[in-house]
Amino acid sequence: MDSRQVAAYLRRIGAERPARPTGPALRELHLRHLRTVPFENLSIHLGEEIVLEEERLLDKVIGRRRGGFCYELNGAFGALLTALGYEVARLAGRVYGDEGRFGIPYDHLALRVRTVEGDIRLADVGFGAHSHYPLAYAERGEQADPGGVFRVMDAGPDEAGAGAEDLDVVRDGEPQYRLETRPRALGDFAAGAWWHSTSPLSHFTRSLVCSRVTEDGGRITLSGRTLTTTDAEGRREARKLAADEEVLTVYREWFGIGLDCVPTVRNRTLDY
């Protein structure tokens, strides 16, 4: 990233450029990213190509003012953090599914970030409902966060052959994903992104989602035509949007995404 792109990215998330790559600055950047850049899979259903190259990701997040899913969001955020002086490693994860089954290899991309103080954090702005702040990477006890109570745990053996240093990320007692600790290149995740954007078995091809953290610490999510608001205490309210114009207004006013038409699920196995 060049200085112009860094400045534009910071404007996009409403943040000042930190004087130094500190822990508090990382927390602020992480939260602002979650509040302004939505977790969304619209590209899959709009027929837009997903390319895991830094310039393409930055153009989507900055130039087109869009969001994305994990590869795109953490890919772009990792580029910003690197440009700001943080030491960043991309880590591959496998998401826990039904009955504790793992997803595909390179199922998820998360970031290990070292600050100028030498602190190491697990940053993840691409997992939907997750921690609002980066987690302490080496801490094995409970970590309270507005998004829940988290633990980063040493992983035990599994049928997929977990490495000795693999980690489990747990939220409110439920395992979220298993994380490898070996750094990866952005291009390593291309096969995972392709699978999730094309396979009929991927939940991303079977549903539409656009979601972000709200200013009060809650969450707003548009899933197909269902708009769900969740407050900071976890109280939820959902309503169906009937008219196309209402759906487009929600995308524009709540997520900053201007669309010409309402996206529809390509792989119609779910009924909205």
Side-chain angles (χ1 to χ4, degrees):
M1 292 180 71
D2 59 31
S3 59
R4 176 186 56 83
Q5 291 171 316
V6 171
Y9 203 138
L10 293 173
R11 285 195 301 272
R12 169 79 166 93
I13 64 175
E16 297 291 331
R17 181 172 186 135
R20 299 167 69 234
T22 65
L26 176 62
R27 284 172 55 86
E28 179 74 8
L29 293 166
H30 196 276
L31 181 59
R32 286 184 178 273
H33 205 286
L34 292 171
R35 286 176 173 173
T36 54
V37 184
F39 177 88
E40 49 105 336
N41 67 339
L42 304 184
S43 289
I44 293 171
H45 305 287
L46 292 171
E48 299 172 350
E49 186 180 17
I50 295 173
V51 180
L52 299 189
E53 296 174 358
E54 184 175 302
E55 287 299 321
R56 294 287 291 270
L57 298 182
L58 295 177
D59 176 66
K60 185 175 184 180
V61 172
I62 302 171
R64 297 164 55 198
R65 301 187 70 80
R66 285 280 301 281
F69 56 173
C70 70
Y71 311 106
E72 301 170 289
L73 296 178
N74 284 324
F77 190 49
L80 173 65
L81 295 179
T82 299
L84 292 174
Y86 292 96
E87 183 182 321
V88 179
R90 305 176 191 89
L91 304 182
R94 302 183 74 174
V95 178
Y96 279 90
D98 295 337
E99 298 178 359
R101 290 191 296 267
F102 286 116
I104 63 169
Y106 297 98
D107 201 16
H108 183 58
L109 189 165
L111 304 172
R112 184 174 63 212
V113 183
R114 183 186 293 273
T115 70
V116 70
E117 301 97 336
D119 190 21
I120 301 176
R121 294 279 160 173
L122 178 62
D124 193 344
V125 296
F127 198 65
H130 198 59
S131 66
H132 293 196
Y133 297 107
L135 300 174
Y137 183 80
E139 173 59 51
R140 296 294 176 261
E142 292 186 346
Q143 302 185 48
D145 180 272
V149 178
F150 291 82
R151 291 188 69 187
V152 179
M153 305 172 60
D154 296 318
D158 62 43
E159 60 183 16
E165 298 180 351
D166 286 0
L167 303 172
D168 277 340
V169 179
V170 178
R171 176 187 182 223
D172 293 335
E174 294 292 328
Q176 303 296 295
Y177 54 82
R178 178 157 292 185
L179 202 61
E180 297 179 2
T181 57
R182 171 186 171 186
R184 302 289 183 175
L186 182 59
D188 292 342
F189 296 87
W194 175 83
W195 188 89
H196 274 300
S197 60
T198 60
S199 173
L201 299 178
S202 167
H203 62 277
F204 287 116
T205 65
R206 294 183 281 119
S207 62
L208 272 162
V209 64
C210 189
S211 181
R212 67 170 180 84
V213 172
T214 54
E215 292 294 325
D216 65 356
R219 177 170 290 275
I220 183 166
T221 301
L222 182 58
S223 181
R225 289 179 176 268
T226 300
L227 179 65
T228 303
T229 55
T230 307
D231 66 19
E233 282 70 46
R235 293 184 292 265
R236 303 178 67 189
E237 181 179 331
R239 64 185 178 95
K240 273 284 184 63
L241 308 178
D244 284 2
E245 185 54 40
E246 192 176 10
V247 176
L248 294 175
T249 297
V250 168
Y251 276 124
R252 183 176 61 253
E253 295 185 355
W254 287 99
F255 301 103
I257 297 176
L259 299 175
D260 296 326
C261 62
V262 175
T264 57
V265 176
R266 287 189 159 193
N267 182 14
R268 287 187 174 276
T269 59
L270 297 180
D271 181 18
Y272 292 105

